[in-house]
């Protein structure tokens, strides 16, 4: 069994006996971190490592997106923007001092915002479309445009029929429209496109409005901006003219109505006056009032005359006949004056004749007789005057009585007319208010008529638009943004792929995810290195290679993984899935340790379903001569030692599984199997047990009670994480002794490219240390 233990393959150099290093962590490197070590906060190096691992994904994604953005930018039609600047007129020009129908704008922000909304309204845009006939412009009417750009060619909807587009919901089914309705919809679409090309803005702390249009033609942009500004100014004038015209028409109608109302009111007043005898004469009041006043005056005059007549009559009566001649009333009579003059002349003549002829002279007597006649005439005349005064008194009294009676009648009528005067004053007030309102409306009508020729817009063009400058696409800014977004998408995709990565790449990941000690990594040998050999043959011929060193590192970690530092002598190796390299690892590890010469190694193949160790030996032309372990377990071989096959090149003792057997778990749980493991542990320094994958069959679980440690193999970047976790859960439920977890088939170059920074990343850099 020990024959040829120290034999080496032809051409191999003697390799010194491998000694376990004193420092148990000497070969562990970064993977020696215990599973309970925690980190605070995000790991910046881990983030940078992800970016470095996925650098080609990031660069490829960024380049692809940037290239698409560049192609898109090239295909975009350049657009030009031209702007017209308006200033609002807040200072009014008072040509005439009259109130306007529409007042000017007030200087506040809400008014400016309102004017901006007016400029961008569909009403003004529709006027602009009609004025420039934009429905015939292919730029704004897509129905007139033949779009054959690359973007149109790349659009998959271009190659689908209308029926397919309607079925997929990408296009609305056509509606039966008349020609007028179709033109109306096209016009509405043109108005919408023109509105989307318009931008109206106003700087803060300024009373200006900027009208900007974006168009494919710089001259069209300027024409649109200038025309819309003119449309806005014309709209203001039209609004004022319309308002003035409406005011004029309304005032005319109201004036005609008021005139009729005034005429009707005045006629009502006149009719009421006539009906109630309240007709006035000038400023002297009504006729009744004038009559009453005249009667009062006449009555006063009559009473005065009556009093004067009575006074004269009493004076005449009180003076007597002798003194009556001296009364003024009598003296005023011409007859009395003439008779008195005659009396005086006769008295003078009588006095002269008496002196001349004596008293008894006939002439004197004649004269005296004549004097008596004259005196009788005077008395008679005085009596007539007294009678006349008496008659005058009577007449005055009669007139006073008549006037008093008439006055009483008029006063009675006046009392009746006062009630009618109240209603008359109401009618007069109504007529007066109608006249005043008519005068006000007529004055306002004259003012409004005067304003029709004085209307001015509330804004003016401060600077007209010039041919526009290109504002779209801003290729430099767009490409910079596209580059930033592309890099961001690449970084996001990198982290997404990292998050979706369902495999393990480092022992550290295994430790953090599984809370199980990481044993290291076993590199995958390239076909160039193997040159038709198996890894087990390669490590036999090149024990000092990087592959061999990785196996030694793993063994060192296994032997010092247990508490107290006791070496496990019975080591069970399993995996989650098939093809993860269990048999290759066990055969390579066993040959490498047996080749060192200082350890007795036994490789036991416990996969009674699909044994591969025998096949591997058969491929090398060194088929095992000993019977398989299945013969021992079934009782065909009495001693398990008869099943041991010793390799001549490495000195490795191994027991093959043999052909497929029935009830393999029963055989593995048998006392014969337990006896084999116990006795092998006494005879060998290390017993490696190769078992089938746990997720396929549970054969390995029945052996966990009879081993010192269980090593779980995980294929690098391939084994799903859920499979590994399920396998570990099965082992822990079975209370299997944990020996650690191991990554196999590690692509060293790819691993180094990922930039994890562990010792596997430096295999290529320190290749001089290995004899590859």
């Amino acid at each position: 069994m020990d024959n040829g233990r120290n034999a080496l393959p032809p051409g191999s150099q003697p390799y010194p006996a491998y000694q376990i290093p004193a420092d148990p962590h000497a070969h562990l490197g970064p993977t020696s971190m215990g599973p309970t070590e925690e980190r605070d906060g995000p790991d910046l190096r881990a983030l940078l490592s992800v970016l470095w691992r996925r650098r080609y994904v990031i660069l490829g994604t960024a380049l692809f997106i940037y290239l698409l953005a560049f192609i898109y930018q090239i295909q975009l039609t350049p657009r030009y923007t031209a702007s017209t600047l308006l200033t609002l007129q807040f200072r009014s020009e008072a040509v005439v001092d009259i109130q306007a129908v529409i007042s000017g704008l007030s200087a506040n922000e809400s008014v400016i915002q309102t004017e901006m909304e007016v400029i961008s309204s569909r009403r003004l845009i529709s006027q602009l479309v009609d004025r420039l006939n934009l429905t015939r412009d292919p730029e704004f009417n897509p129905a007139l445009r033949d779009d054959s750009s690359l973007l149109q060619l790349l659009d998959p909807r271009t190659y689908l029929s209308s029926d397919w587009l309607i079925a997929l919901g990408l296009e609305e089914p056509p509606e039966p429209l008349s020609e007028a309705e179709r033109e109306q919809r096209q016009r509405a679409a043109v108005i919408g496109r023109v509105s989307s090309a318009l931008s109206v803005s106003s700087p803060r702390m300024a009373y200006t409005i900027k009208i900007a249009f974006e168009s494919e033609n710089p001259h069209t942009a300027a024409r649109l901006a200038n025309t819309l500004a003119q449309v806005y100014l014309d709209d203001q004038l039209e609004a004022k003219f319309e308002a003035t015209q409406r005011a004029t028409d309304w005032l005319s109608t109201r004036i005609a109505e008021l005139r009729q109302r005034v005429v009707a009111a005045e006629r009502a007043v006149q009719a009421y006056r006539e009906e109630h005898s309240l007709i006035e004469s000038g400023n002297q009041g009504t006729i009744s009032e004038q009559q009453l006043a005249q009667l009062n005056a006449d009555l006063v005059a009559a009473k005065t005359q009556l009093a004067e007549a009575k006074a004269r009559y009493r004076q005449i009566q009180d003076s007597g006949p002798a003194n009556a001649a001296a009364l003024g009333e009598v003296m005023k009579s011409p007859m009395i004056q003439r008779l008195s003059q005659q009396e005086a002349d006769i008295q003078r003549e009588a006095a002269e004749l008496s002196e001349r002829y004596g008293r008894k002279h006939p002439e004197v007597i004649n004269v005296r007789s004549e004097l008596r006649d004259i005196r009788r005439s005077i008395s008679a005349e005085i009596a007539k005057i007294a009678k006349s005064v008496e008659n005058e008194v009577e007449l005055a009294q009669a007139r006073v009585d008549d006037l008093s009676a008439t006055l009483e009648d008029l006063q009675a009528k006046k009392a009746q007319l006062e009630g009618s005067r109240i209603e008359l004053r109401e009618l007069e007030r109504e007529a007066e208010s109608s006249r005043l309102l008519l005068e006000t409306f007529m004055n306002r009508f004259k003012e409004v008529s005067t304003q029709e020729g004085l209307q001015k817009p509330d804004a003016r063009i401060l600077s007209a638009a010039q041919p526009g400058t290109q504002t779209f696409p801003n290729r430099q800014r767009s490409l910079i943004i596209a580059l930033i977004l592309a890099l961001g998408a690449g970084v996001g995709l990198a982290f997404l792929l990292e998050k979706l990565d369902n495999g393990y790449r480092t022992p550290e990941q295994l430790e953090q995810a599984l809370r199980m000690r990481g044993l290291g990594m076993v590199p995958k040998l390239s076909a160039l290195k193997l040159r038709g050999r198996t890894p087990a043959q390669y490590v036999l011929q090149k024990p000092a290679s990087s592959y061999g060193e990785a196996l030694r590192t793993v063994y060192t970690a296994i032997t010092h993984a247990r508490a107290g530092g006791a070496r496990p002598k019975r080591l069970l190796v399993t995996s989650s899935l098939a093809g993860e390299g269990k048999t290759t690892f066990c055969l390579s590890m066993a040959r490498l340790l047996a080749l060192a010469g200082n350890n007795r190694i036994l490789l036991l193949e416990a996969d009674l379903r699909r044994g591969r160790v025998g096949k591997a030996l058969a491929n090398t032309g060194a088929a095992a001569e000993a019977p398989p372990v299945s013969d021992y377990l079934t009782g065909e071989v009495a001693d398990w030692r008869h099943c041991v096959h010793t390799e001549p090149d490495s000195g490795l003792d191994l027991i093959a599984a043999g052909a497929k057997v029935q009830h393999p778990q029963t055989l593995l749980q048998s006392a014969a199997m337990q006896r084999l493991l116990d006795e092998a542990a006494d005879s060998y320094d290390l017993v490696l047990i190769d078992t089938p994958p746990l997720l396929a069959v549970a054969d390995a679980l029945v052996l966990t009670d009879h081993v010192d440690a269980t090593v779980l193999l995980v294929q690098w970047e391939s084994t799903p994480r859920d499979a590994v976790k399920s396998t570990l859960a099965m082992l822990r439920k079975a209370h299997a002794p944990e020996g650690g977890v191991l990554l196999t088939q590690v692509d060293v170059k790819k691993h180094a490219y990922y930039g994890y920074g562990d010792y596997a990343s430096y295999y290529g850099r320190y290749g001089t240390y290995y004899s590859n």
Side-chain angles (χ1 to χ4, degrees):
M1 184 170 58
D2 295 336
N3 192 14
R5 180 182 298 274
N6 296 325
L8 294 176
S12 300
Q13 298 294 328
Y15 186 76
Y18 175 69
Q19 301 293 332
I20 296 175
D23 186 1
H25 303 291
H27 293 279
L28 294 181
T31 63
S32 61
M33 184 186 73
T36 59
E37 183 177 349
E38 297 181 356
R39 300 188 178 190
D40 296 331
D43 191 348
L44 181 59
R45 293 190 61 181
L47 297 179
L48 295 177
S49 178
V50 171
L51 297 179
W52 178 252
R53 286 195 300 273
R54 305 289 182 176
R55 60 187 179 275
Y56 289 121
V57 173
I58 296 173
L59 294 177
T61 304
L63 181 61
F64 177 73
I65 296 178
Y66 185 79
L67 182 61
L68 291 180
F70 181 75
I71 295 175
Y72 179 76
Q73 289 288 323
I74 292 176
Q75 293 298 316
L76 289 176
T77 302
R79 301 185 69 85
Y80 303 86
T81 300
S83 59
T84 298
L85 189 62
L86 297 176
T87 178
L88 300 179
Q89 300 279 51
F90 295 117
R91 294 174 293 182
S92 60
E93 299 178 1
V95 179
V96 292
D97 189 13
I98 56 179
Q99 184 179 3
V101 176
I102 298 181
S103 62
L105 300 177
S106 59
N108 58 66
E109 186 176 353
S110 60
V111 171
I112 298 175
Q113 187 66 31
T114 302
E115 294 304 306
M116 291 169 59
E117 294 294 333
V118 171
I119 293 174
S120 59
S121 65
R122 290 185 65 89
R123 183 173 62 86
L124 292 190
I125 299 299
S126 63
Q127 296 181 19
L128 173 65
V129 169
D130 295 338
R131 184 172 296 188
L132 297 181
N133 197 17
L134 296 180
T135 55
R136 302 300 179 186
D137 192 339
E139 179 181 352
F140 300 102
N141 192 349
L144 305 177
R145 176 180 295 185
D146 183 15
D147 194 356
S148 59
S149 62
L150 179 59
L151 295 179
Q152 183 72 14
L153 296 177
L154 294 177
D155 191 352
R157 294 177 296 179
T158 306
Y159 307 99
L160 296 176
S161 64
S162 298
D163 296 336
W164 277 99
L165 292 176
I166 294 173
L168 295 175
L170 301 177
E171 186 177 289
E172 293 293 333
E175 299 180 9
L177 300 176
S178 63
E179 187 64 25
E181 291 175 339
R182 187 177 296 104
E183 291 180 357
Q184 184 178 3
R185 287 201 175 186
Q186 285 186 0
R187 184 173 182 273
V190 171
I191 292 174
R193 284 181 172 269
V194 175
S195 299
S196 62
L198 168 67
S199 63
V200 183
S201 60
S202 176
R204 293 182 61 85
M205 306 301 294
Y207 300 140
T208 58
I209 296 177
K210 181 179 179 182
I211 302 175
F213 265 102
E214 189 179 60
S215 173
E216 298 175 1
N217 189 301
H219 298 282
T220 301
R223 187 159 55 97
L224 289 171
N226 291 330
T227 305
L228 182 59
Q230 192 60 46
V231 167
Y232 170 64
L233 298 181
D234 294 344
D235 182 72
Q236 283 190 334
L237 287 177
E238 289 177 3
K240 290 189 175 183
F241 283 135
E242 290 176 0
T244 304
Q245 187 62 41
R246 287 196 301 270
T248 303
D249 297 341
W250 183 79
L251 286 173
S252 300
T253 305
R254 289 292 296 163
I255 288 173
E257 294 175 356
L258 288 173
R259 280 176 178 171
Q260 296 177 359
R261 184 185 299 179
V262 169
V263 171
E266 289 180 348
R267 287 178 179 176
V269 170
Q270 185 63 25
Y272 192 84
R273 285 180 180 276
E274 293 176 356
E275 180 182 356
H276 296 83
S277 300
L278 295 176
I279 300 176
E280 295 181 354
S281 177
N283 297 324
Q284 298 178 358
T286 63
I287 296 176
S288 299
E289 291 176 348
Q290 293 179 12
Q291 290 177 351
L292 186 61
Q294 185 64 37
L295 283 175
N296 281 326
D298 293 345
L299 181 61
V300 171
K303 287 182 178 181
T304 302
Q305 291 178 359
L306 177 61
E308 290 178 353
K310 287 182 178 181
R312 290 197 307 272
Y313 183 72
R314 283 194 301 269
Q315 188 178 10
I316 292 173
Q317 288 181 344
D318 293 341
S319 61
N323 298 324
L327 295 176
E329 186 69 23
V330 176
M331 292 301 295
K332 293 180 181 178
S333 175
M335 181 61 73
I336 294 299
Q337 292 178 357
R338 188 170 59 253
L339 292 175
S340 297
Q341 183 65 34
Q342 290 178 358
E343 182 183 14
D345 292 340
I346 292 173
Q347 283 180 353
R348 186 171 56 252
E349 183 180 1
E352 290 178 354
L353 290 176
S354 295
E355 289 180 358
R356 181 182 299 172
Y357 300 108
R359 293 177 58 94
K360 296 185 179 190
H361 188 275
E363 290 184 1
V364 171
I365 294 171
N366 290 334
V367 169
R368 287 182 178 176
S369 178
E370 186 178 355
L371 180 63
R372 284 193 296 272
D373 293 336
I374 289 174
R375 286 180 177 175
R376 282 195 297 272
S377 297
I378 290 173
S379 298
E381 188 65 26
I382 291 172
K384 290 180 181 179
I385 292 172
K387 187 62 177 180
S388 175
V389 171
E390 183 181 2
N391 293 333
E392 185 178 352
V393 169
E394 292 176 356
L395 289 174
Q397 182 64 47
R399 186 181 179 187
V400 168
D401 294 340
D402 292 339
L403 289 175
S404 297
T406 303
L407 182 62
E408 289 178 358
D409 294 338
L410 288 177
Q411 286 178 345
K413 291 181 179 180
K414 181 181 179 182
Q416 295 176 356
L417 293 177
E418 285 298 327
S420 301
R421 186 179 292 275
I422 296 175
E423 187 174 353
L424 175 64
R425 284 195 293 269
E426 181 65 25
L427 293 175
E428 289 177 343
R429 281 194 297 269
E430 183 179 354
E432 183 65 22
S433 63
S434 299
R435 282 193 297 271
L436 292 176
L437 188 59
L438 177 61
E439 292 176 0
T440 303
F441 272 76
M442 293 183 66
N443 293 332
R444 186 56 179 163
F445 178 78
K446 294 178 181 178
E447 294 176 357
V448 173
S449 300
T450 305
Q451 286 181 6
E452 290 185 0
L454 300 176
Q455 297 295 343
K456 295 182 64 178
D458 294 324
R460 63 186 178 91
I461 298 176
L462 194 61
S463 63
Q466 301 301 321
T469 58
Q470 182 177 343
T471 55
F472 177 84
N474 189 342
R475 287 192 172 89
Q476 182 178 3
R477 182 182 64 182
S478 299
L479 291 178
I480 290 176
I481 294 175
L483 179 60
I484 295 174
L485 294 178
L487 290 175
V491 171
L493 181 60
F495 280 101
L496 179 62
L497 292 176
E498 192 73 17
K499 192 69 176 178
L500 296 177
D501 188 2
N502 201 25
Y504 293 101
R505 301 180 186 274
T506 64
E508 184 178 7
Q509 290 180 347
L510 291 171
E511 290 177 348
Q512 292 177 352
L514 307 178
R515 297 300 178 183
M516 190 174 183
R517 184 180 182 85
L519 300 176
M521 295 181 289
V522 177
K524 180 180 180 181
L525 297 175
S526 64
L528 181 61
K529 288 184 177 182
L530 292 176
R531 296 178 182 178
R533 296 169 294 186
T534 63
Q537 294 172 340
Y538 177 82
V539 75
L540 185 62
Q541 297 177 5
K542 294 182 178 295
S545 62
S546 59
Y547 181 70
E549 285 300 323
L551 294 175
R552 292 188 183 92
T553 303
V554 171
Y555 180 68
T556 302
I558 292 174
T559 55
H560 292 82
R562 301 180 66 188
R567 298 182 185 179
K569 301 190 68 176
R570 291 170 295 186
L571 187 63
L572 185 143
V573 179
T574 187
S575 66
S576 301
L577 306 173
E580 297 190 61
K582 295 185 308 299
T583 302
T584 300
F585 168 75
C586 292
L587 190 56
S588 299
M589 174 72 78
R591 283 181 175 177
L592 181 65
L593 296 178
L595 189 61
N598 60 336
N599 291 297
R600 300 181 69 237
I601 307 298
L602 174 64
L603 174 59
L604 173 59
E605 186 179 20
D607 190 351
L608 302 181
R609 301 173 188 267
R610 296 179 59 185
R612 296 184 178 274
V613 173
K615 294 181 181 180
L617 295 177
N619 292 335
T620 61
E625 299 175 355
V629 70
S630 58
D631 291 348
Y632 166 70
L633 296 177
T634 57
E636 295 181 10
V637 177
D639 192 351
W640 62 270
R641 294 177 180 84
H642 296 160
C643 299
V644 175
H645 169 76
T646 302
E647 289 186 336
D649 295 335
S650 62
L652 172 64
D653 291 343
L654 59 87
I655 301 176
K660 185 176 181 180
V661 298
Q662 294 181 350
H663 310 295
Q665 289 191 11
T666 303
L667 297 177
L668 294 176
Q669 290 177 329
S670 63
M673 188 63 183
Q674 182 176 357
R675 183 169 59 253
L676 186 155
L677 293 176
D678 293 339
E679 293 177 358
D682 296 334
S683 303
Y684 292 91
D685 297 316
L686 177 63
V687 178
L688 274 174
I689 306 172
D690 182 18
T691 61
L694 268 175
L695 293 185
V697 292
D699 295 355
L701 294 179
V702 302
L703 298 176
T704 55
D705 293 337
H706 309 295
V707 298
D708 301 323
T710 301
V711 176
L712 177 61
L713 268 58
V714 177
Q715 184 176 355
W716 182 82
E717 197 184 37
S718 177
T719 307
R721 298 189 179 188
D722 293 338
V724 177
K725 292 179 180 178
S726 298
T727 302
L728 184 59
M730 294 173 64
L731 290 173
R732 287 177 175 171
K733 287 182 180 180
H735 303 288
E738 295 182 3
V741 62
L742 173 66
L743 282 175
T744 62
Q745 304 183 37
V746 178
D747 190 334
V748 177
K749 290 185 179 180
K750 195 174 180 181
H751 186 85
Y753 152 75
Y754 283 152
Y756 285 108
D758 50 26
Y759 66 90
S761 302
Y762 300 97
Y763 280 143
R765 186 179 303 179
Y766 301 109
T768 55
Y769 286 84
Y770 315 121
S771 57
N772 291 333

